[in-house]
């Protein structure tokens, strides 16, 4: 799990440095959230692939639950970015 946290942190840093093309700070925030969410979704896909190769049903179920949790986390990151972007736009 520590590996995943590092991966997400690196993806977040990459998002911060790669989002120079946004027109407004609000768009930049939303783009950063999208990049982070995409990274989390990629992790979920990898865990789901591991579930397909699990040695037993219990292991498969545990990995599928982990993949579902990652998908939910990606959705939350994306929604948070949208909410922060909207708030920034309204504050203008």
């Amino acid at each position: 799990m520590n590996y995943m946290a590092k991966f997400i942190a690196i993806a977040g840093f990459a998002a911060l440095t790669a989002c120079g093309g946004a027109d407004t700070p609000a768009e930049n925030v939303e783009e950063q959230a999208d990049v982070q969410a995409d990274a989390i979704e990629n992790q979920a896909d990898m865990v789901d692939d591991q579930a397909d190769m699990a040695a037993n049903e219990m292991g498969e179920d545990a990995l599928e639950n982990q993949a579902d949790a990652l998908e939910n986390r990606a959705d939350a990151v994306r929604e948070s970015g949208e909410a922060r972007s909207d708030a920034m736009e309204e504050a203008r």
Side-chain angles (χ1 to χ4, degrees):
M1 193 69 168
N2 191 17
Y3 176 77
M4 284 194 268
K6 287 180 185 178
F7 179 78
I8 292 168
I10 291 169
F13 180 73
L16 288 172
T17 58
C19 291
D23 293 329
T24 67
E27 289 174 345
N28 199 10
V29 166
E30 193 165 348
E31 285 180 19
Q32 291 171 15
D34 285 340
V35 169
Q36 290 175 343
D38 289 345
I40 295 168
E41 287 171 346
N42 287 338
Q43 285 183 307
D45 290 342
M46 289 187 306
V47 172
D48 201 35
D49 289 344
Q50 291 173 346
D52 292 340
M53 296 182 284
N56 58 49
E57 192 170 326
M58 284 180 56
E60 181 178 2
D61 290 344
L63 288 167
E64 286 175 352
N65 289 339
Q66 184 179 357
D68 289 342
L70 285 167
E71 286 288 341
N72 291 337
R73 186 172 173 189
D75 291 342
V77 167
R78 199 175 306 280
E79 289 170 12
S80 174
E82 290 172 7
R84 286 181 300 180
S85 175
D86 291 345
M88 291 175 76
E89 288 291 330
E90 288 176 14
R92 290 175 89 199

